[in-house]
Amino acid sequence: MEHSGQKLDKYYIKKVDADKKSIYCHHDLMGELFIPPHRHQKAQLLYAEGDVVFVTTETKTYFLPARHFIWIPSGVEHSIEPKSESVTMRNLYFPVEKEEDDFYKVEGIYPVNNLLLQMMLFTNRWNGDLKKGTPNFTIAKAIKAILPQICTNNLPLELPQPKDKRLGKILRHIENNLGETILFADVAHEFGYSERSLYRLFQKDLGMSFIQYYTIRRILKAIELLLERKLSVKEVAQEVGYNSVPTFSNTFFKILGQRPSDYLNGEEILEKN
């Protein structure tokens, strides 16, 4: 924990906010598996390559796949937990400006399109404070400026943290049986609820239905398996309880905006530069 604390102080408090007017940049191979809860005065753009990163706030756990970025507004406490030490994280920290677009006030996960990808390539060898008036500052500010225009699809890649301990047991049951088809009626019966009362518990505690939670969790697991590149799309579908590949593909597309096969074949461009 001492090492994590040193890492936290070194990169995420003292340096990021030391110069309130600069844009702070930090790109690095993660090399560790947990950065404890912290917050910044600056907003954060975190882009991930190589594997999945879990970003946990006080109310939600965000699932950040490779080739996507998460926007974390100023002042939001969060911890960061990569799935493996091989994850490369690219961070830009932006000072808050007056009368900003509402986009910057909301947490969200977005795919990186070609335009943003090319702009991010300019930042590959940057580290530290980017001072106002320098070319690097101008480029970084342009990256921030285009986000509300090009990032129109805030992906629902987060799951709320349960407050009710009874619901926690049910969610662990779902987690442990993702390879099976889980029916709501069976879950209600197994845990001693009527379907109506369990439906209400999900809505009250999580703000979503059982089927919404179950669907998102299956797709998040599918993303993990696809990134491992060990299984075919059909095998991944089976691993998360889908007997029909078209149904799996359509559900994946509704959430991520691309087919599993396209996601599987995606190139990790930044990692190679």
Side-chain angles (χ1 to χ4, degrees):
M1 183 58 71
E2 181 181 354
H3 176 73
S4 295
Q6 290 173 350
K7 180 93 172 179
L8 183 65
D9 288 341
K10 185 176 180 181
Y11 296 125
Y12 291 90
I13 294 179
K14 294 180 179 178
K15 288 194 173 183
V16 169
D17 291 329
D19 184 339
K20 292 180 172 55
K21 295 183 179 180
S22 74
I23 296 173
Y24 189 82
C25 178
H26 180 72
H27 299 333
D28 202 3
L29 188 70
M30 189 57 191
E32 60 182 278
L33 293 178
F34 184 67
I35 295 177
H38 60 285
R39 68 181 81 225
H40 330 284
Q41 296 174 18
K42 294 177 181 177
Q44 179 179 1
L45 185 159
L46 165 58
Y47 174 88
E49 269 296 2
D51 212 329
V52 173
V53 175
F54 298 96
V55 179
T56 301
T57 66
E58 294 179 354
T59 59
K60 295 180 179 179
T61 294
Y62 290 89
F63 183 99
L64 178 62
R67 304 188 300 276
H68 291 71
F69 78 88
I70 184 171
W71 179 264
I72 305 172
S74 166
V76 174
E77 184 177 84
H78 59 285
S79 63
I80 300 173
E81 185 173 4
K83 189 182 175 189
S84 73
E85 295 182 0
S86 63
V87 171
T88 297
M89 298 199 307
R90 305 178 186 278
N91 300 276
L92 290 171
Y93 301 87
F94 299 94
V96 177
E97 302 175 72
K98 294 181 179 179
E99 299 180 359
E100 286 193 324
D101 191 286
D102 288 342
F103 172 92
Y104 304 115
K105 302 173 185 177
V106 180
E107 302 156 21
I109 291 179
Y110 304 89
V112 172
N113 67 10
N114 289 334
L115 173 61
L116 184 56
L117 181 60
Q118 293 304 316
M119 296 183 76
M120 288 292 290
L121 285 172
F122 276 94
T123 76
N124 262 6
R125 294 175 177 83
W126 297 355
N127 266 304
D129 288 307
L130 311 178
K131 300 288 187 178
K132 190 173 182 179
T134 64
N136 289 354
F137 181 95
T138 302
I139 294 170
K141 190 169 183 180
I143 290 174
K144 179 184 177 183
I146 66 171
L147 296 181
Q149 281 71 47
I150 67 173
C151 299
T152 57
N153 186 21
N154 188 341
L155 301 177
L157 298 181
E158 79 275 355
L159 289 173
Q161 301 277 24
K163 304 178 191 68
D164 193 305
K165 292 182 180 179
R166 298 172 298 170
L167 194 54
K169 293 180 181 179
I170 295 173
L171 299 187
R172 284 192 293 274
H173 171 76
I174 294 172
E175 184 76 22
N176 294 332
N177 294 278
L178 286 175
E180 308 295 330
T181 300
I182 304 174
L183 300 178
F184 180 63
D186 293 343
V187 173
H189 177 74
E190 181 170 345
F191 286 89
Y193 290 92
S194 68
E195 291 183 42
R196 186 175 182 181
S197 61
L198 185 56
Y199 176 85
R200 287 178 173 175
L201 181 58
F202 265 85
Q203 289 289 355
K204 180 181 179 180
D205 195 289
L206 302 182
M208 62 174 59
S209 68
F210 167 84
I211 192 62
Q212 288 173 316
Y213 184 95
Y214 180 39
T215 299
I216 293 174
R217 190 63 195 94
R218 292 165 97 183
I219 296 303
L220 296 185
K221 181 63 177 179
I223 292 171
E224 287 188 74
L225 294 172
L226 289 169
L227 288 172
E228 290 176 358
R229 300 178 182 275
K230 296 178 180 178
L231 302 176
S232 67
V233 171
K234 181 179 180 179
E235 289 170 329
V236 169
Q238 293 172 342
E239 284 292 316
V240 295
Y242 283 92
N243 296 320
S244 166
V245 174
T247 300
F248 167 66
S249 180
N250 290 338
T251 305
F252 194 97
F253 182 82
K254 287 178 182 178
I255 293 177
L256 277 174
Q258 57 182 315
R259 299 290 175 184
S261 55
D262 296 330
Y263 194 87
L264 183 63
N265 295 327
E267 295 182 3
E268 297 177 357
I269 298 175
L270 289 185
E271 192 178 53
K272 299 174 183 178
N273 286 270

